[in-house]
Amino acid sequence: MFAVFLSKAFGLTNPKTYIFSILLFFGTSISSFGATDSLFQKARKLEGQVFVNFVIDNYYEIYSLNFDSAILMTEEAKLLAEANGWTKEAAYASLYHGVATYLRGDYKKSLPNYLNALRLFDSLENHRGIAKTNIELAGFYHKNKQFEKALETAEQAKEAAILSGDTATLGTYYGFKMNFLMRQNKYDEAYPFMLKALAIRRTMNDSIGLGYAYLDLSEYELRKGNLNGSLAYIDTSTYIRKKIGDDQGVAVNQVVIGEAYFGVGQFNKAIPYFKKSIELASPIGYTDLIRFGYDMLQKSYVELGDFEKAYKHLQQAQVFNDSIFNVEKSKALLSLQTQYETEKKEKEIELLSIENELKAADLENANNRFYASLGGLILLGFITYLGFNRYKQKQRALLAEEKALNQKLGFKSLIEGEEKERKRIAQELHDGLGQLLSTARLNVSAMEDKVEKLVTKQWENSIKLIDEAVTEVRHISHNMMPNALISIGFEAAIKEQVHIINDAQKVKVHVELPSEKINLPESESIALYRVIQEVLNNAIKYAEAQNIWLTITNNEMLNIIIKDDGKGFDTKLISKSNGIGWQNIYSRVEILNGMVQINSTPGQGSEVSLKLAV
């Protein structure tokens, strides 16, 4: 069972580590366990090493509240620790920044941070840190279906956990080992590890871990063919999770029950649980679980022969597919591990060589040292340190600048790839399905004179349904990639979008375009069109406006102003929003090297101003 296995990938014991590891496979938000905005307010009042230690000590509560804030705060703590030479703090901050980016689904950033943390912990011989980092790396490799590599890394985590007395990570290893064996259908071998992990959870009085422990037992019973026993353990897990307010865990349990019924062919019983899981996951932004729920609904309706509902849920699942990790792309990231291990061996050889040379030099010069030369060496070392420290600061600044540029280029490539795929799908809909429907209508229309009176009504309904299907295909195709934008330009696409909105007669859009043609490359035209489309949709969906004014002027800069007479809103809420609408607007405008300004007051409408260099 896919979701069951993924949701219990480790069977961890420590509440902090467990929540992270369960989400290693779903990469979405954690439900809040009592954290409040005051946590961030308190952090922002701290400075220096106090701030860094605060982030490290409270990383679980920070993740529980908001992933985006966790990414920003752990990155800030990591850079601050590195700049000041706080190696241990830099190692933990790098580890937790890797976890935060991994949970958000940014695997390209997470693996280098894990490897950096491991390198620092190795240099400190910090076995507890090595254990925690390796168990997170094991989850990363497991996500990439590198199962043998995952097991090897988990074994390294176990050895470090034993050396450091880290019981929590040791329990994590037992859960991981159990699931690894169950995946190979070695149930009897897996069972002792399950009992060891369960014993540690009970000893630590870990309610969250116990909730997952009962899922382990349910999985074991289901794989042994005992459906009723499996469902009973899931009910026990759900009771524990409801008691501690683990909304995320309750949502996972619903989809697990659905999968249990699906696995034995009881599709009608499975469907309500998949729907309930989506209902519970939506308020907490659990995107992967929502996508998986829609995917299982689609499969259930296919099994039941209801292809109309299956297609509907397939479309809904597709909305969330952009955030799913591409396993093929992950292979390039895994090469970083090989590079890290090679560099580590080379460094060890280099250090050994330097150590031998120093010993030889010490033996040769032992009788020739005197205080003056010692003072000279100290002075030289101090000057070298100052120069090297200055060089490191300069390199960090260059690295930060390069990192920002790479992030921008990466997002630009992602957007361009998305638009290219939209264009391809829109073309296929228009040229493929649209043409087939048009041909079908011609064929049906040709039978008009031969239709008997008894079936006239059915014939008319068929014509109407085909016409509606053609219209819907054109509408979907236009939304994905307006023909006017590609064929006759940006201004025509804007006019066409405004015409569609005005035809709906829900709101009146007044548009004013410049007399001269706006010349933009196709990729920039598409990006700017998406921004305007997003702002218009926001005004229509949320502002309750009667009128919208869209004005575009093209002088030395391209100025776009979108105003409405709606109910307005508090702009301070934008930074706290969990939605991706405003995030997409800011990201696309940044790619275009533009600026966004938003002015709005509750009850007085809104104004969005965009400025772009042309």
Side-chain angles (χ1 to χ4, degrees), residues 163-216:
L163 289 173
S164 61
D166 187 351
T167 306
T169 301
L170 192 59
T172 299
Y173 163 79
Y174 290 141
F176 182 94
K177 184 75 172 182
M178 175 208 68
N179 280 286
F180 188 89
L181 291 171
M182 287 181 65
R183 185 179 58 82
Q184 298 175 314
N185 297 324
K186 298 178 179 179
Y187 308 127
D188 293 333
E189 292 181 37
Y191 192 73
F193 289 99
M194 181 190 304
L195 295 181
K196 289 181 180 180
L198 183 62
I200 290 178
R201 290 174 182 134
R202 286 174 173 167
T203 301
M204 297 181 68
N205 195 25
D206 175 14
S207 297
I208 297 176
L210 284 172
Y212 286 104
Y214 285 110
L215 281 190
D216 292 339

Side-chain angles (χ1 to χ4, degrees), residues 503-541:
D503 279 353
Q505 298 182 355
K506 291 184 178 180
V507 61
K508 177 67 176 177
V509 180
H510 311 271
V511 62
E512 182 179 343
L513 300 175
S515 56
E516 66 277 8
K517 182 176 178 60
I518 300 173
N519 292 315
L520 290 172
E522 181 178 305
S523 61
E524 294 183 11
S525 296
I526 293 172
L528 183 56
Y529 176 83
R530 294 298 182 201
V531 170
I532 295 174
Q533 188 181 48
E534 185 72 38
V535 175
L536 290 174
N537 286 340
N538 282 346
I540 295 169
K541 290 167 63 178

